[in-house]
Amino acid sequence: PFLAWTDLAWKVGAMSMASAQVIAHRTTRMAAAGPNPGTRDQQEFARMGQEKFDAAAASVQAMGVQLLNMNLTFGARVFRHMATGGAAMASLAASRDAGQFVTRQAQLVRAVSQSVATMAEMSHSTVRVAAHGLKPIHARATANARRLGKR
C-alpha cells in the first residue's frame, strides 16, 4: 500500500503543477482580453466550466464503481471472517481437554490473522478508490497544461 499511496501523491503533485500552469495561462488571458473577449477567448472561458463539470462527474462515477466493487468484496470477506471466527471461538469454548484447547486456539489465531490481513488490504483498496477518482481530473489538468502551453 505504501507504493500505491506514494504514486497517488506524485499524481496529485503533477496535477497541482499542471493546474497552476493552466490557471496562470487563463488568468493572463482573461486580463488581456478585458471586458470584450474575442470569439476564441469566449470559447476558452466557456470551456473552463464545462470541463470541470465533466471531470468531476467522471471522477464521481469512477470512485462509485470502485467503491461498489470494494464493498461487495469486503462485505463478503467480513461475513466469512465473522462466521469463521465465531465458529473458532465456539469450538475453543467447547474444548474437552488441553490438547483440543491448544489446537482450537491455533485455529482461532489463524482466523483472526486472516481478518487482520483483510483489514490491511482495505488500505490498498482505499488508495485505488482515490486513484480512480483522481484519474479523470489529472488527465484533464495535464491535457490542458499541454494544450495551453503550446500557445
Side-chain angles (χ1 to χ4, degrees):
F2 178 75
L3 291 177
W5 283 107
T6 302
D7 183 55
L8 181 66
W10 279 107
K11 287 182 179 167
V12 167
M15 182 194 66
S16 297
M17 289 178 60
S19 295
Q21 291 172 350
V22 171
I23 290 167
H25 178 86
R26 286 179 169 164
T27 303
T28 302
R29 193 166 171 176
M30 285 179 178
N36 297 317
T39 304
R40 188 169 159 215
D41 286 330
Q42 288 177 9
Q43 289 171 345
E44 183 65 31
F45 301 155
R47 182 179 190 171
M48 291 187 309
Q50 185 62 43
E51 69 188 8
K52 285 171 184 54
F53 177 81
D54 293 344
S59 175
V60 168
Q61 180 182 12
M63 287 190 301
V65 168
Q66 193 66 24
L67 279 170
L68 178 65
N69 291 334
M70 187 175 97
N71 286 339
L72 292 172
T73 299
F74 284 108
R77 284 186 187 177
V78 165
F79 181 77
R80 186 174 63 241
H81 290 311
M82 286 174 44
T84 303
M89 282 191 268
S91 177
L92 178 64
S95 297
R96 293 185 181 175
D97 57 46
Q100 261 188 350
F101 184 83
V102 169
T103 301
R104 291 175 179 178
Q105 187 177 28
Q107 290 171 344
L108 178 59
V109 167
R110 278 193 298 277
V112 170
S113 296
Q114 289 172 350
S115 295
V116 170
T118 295
M119 294 307 295
E121 284 181 49
M122 287 189 82
S123 175
H124 194 257
S125 293
T126 303
V127 75
R128 281 197 305 263
V129 169
H132 278 81
L134 180 65
K135 190 174 183 175
I137 297 168
H138 177 273
R140 186 66 56 122
T142 55
N144 276 340
R146 283 190 304 273
R147 180 179 59 83
L148 295 173
K150 294 177 184 176
R151 293 182 181 180

